[in-house]
Amino acid sequence: ETFICGEQAKSQNSERERRRGLLQIDRKKIQESLENAKMLRRKKIEQKQKWFKEWTIELESRVQKQRKTEKSIKKAGSPINTLFAVGFPLGYTRNQVETMFQNRPGFEALSFNQKDGKAPISFIRFKNVEDASGCLAALQGHRFEAGGRLRLAYAKYELKQSRSQRF
């Protein structure tokens, strides 16, 4: 057996201490990197959950809007290319009603009726049923600044075309 002298033993002990210190530092670094990786994973999961929640809310909103549209179309009667419109504020003019509908796809003609002291009613003809249905879905329940809410339904009869109604 070999005998280790005092200086050599001290040297070996200090070398062991140095290695232990390095191992502890390495363990701490590994632990920190694991914690950072876990934190990043948690953040990614939270971001995905947040995105999924927002997407679900948006989807539910779209579904509700679609159901509401389908319900209002069902209530509106048998689909034809002419709509019946009521709910305009008192004093609403033909030009205002025409402006509201003339930019809608497929708009062809407008019949405007207003009796003294009563809110106006209107019939609006479109090129086809799809255009009329699109307008009904888009403008049903429109609120006016002067008060009132637009109510649209399919008319019972087609609006006839006359010379004064051509656009």
Side-chain angles (χ1 to χ4, degrees), residues 5-18:
C5 70
E7 287 298 316
Q8 199 176 7
K10 283 183 184 179
S11 171
Q12 284 180 349
N13 283 340
S14 66
E15 181 62 24
R16 279 187 207 134
E17 291 299 318
R18 189 182 69 77

Side-chain angles (χ1 to χ4, degrees), residues 84-102:
F84 172 68
V86 294
F88 299 104
L90 283 174
Y92 219 66
T93 66
R94 178 186 176 93
N95 286 340
Q96 289 172 305
V97 174
E98 193 175 314
T99 301
M100 183 176 219
F101 291 98
Q102 71 184 359

Side-chain angles (χ1 to χ4, degrees), residues 56-111:
T56 305
I57 291 169
E58 175 67 24
L59 183 63
E60 287 173 358
S61 172
R62 287 182 184 180
V63 167
Q64 286 176 351
K65 188 175 182 179
Q66 182 66 29
R67 285 182 185 154
K68 187 177 178 183
T69 298
E70 289 170 0
K71 188 177 177 181
S72 68
I73 288 173
K74 281 182 185 177
K75 280 184 173 181
S78 299
I80 62 172
N81 66 347
T82 301
L83 295 179
F84 172 68
V86 294
F88 299 104
L90 283 174
Y92 219 66
T93 66
R94 178 186 176 93
N95 286 340
Q96 289 172 305
V97 174
E98 193 175 314
T99 301
M100 183 176 219
F101 291 98
Q102 71 184 359
N103 293 328
R104 302 299 311 168
F107 173 78
E108 285 188 343
L110 172 81
S111 171

Side-chain angles (χ1 to χ4, degrees), residues 87-91 113-115 117-121:
F88 299 104
L90 283 174
N113 300 310
Q114 184 172 24
K115 298 191 177 176
K118 294 189 177 183
I121 64 166

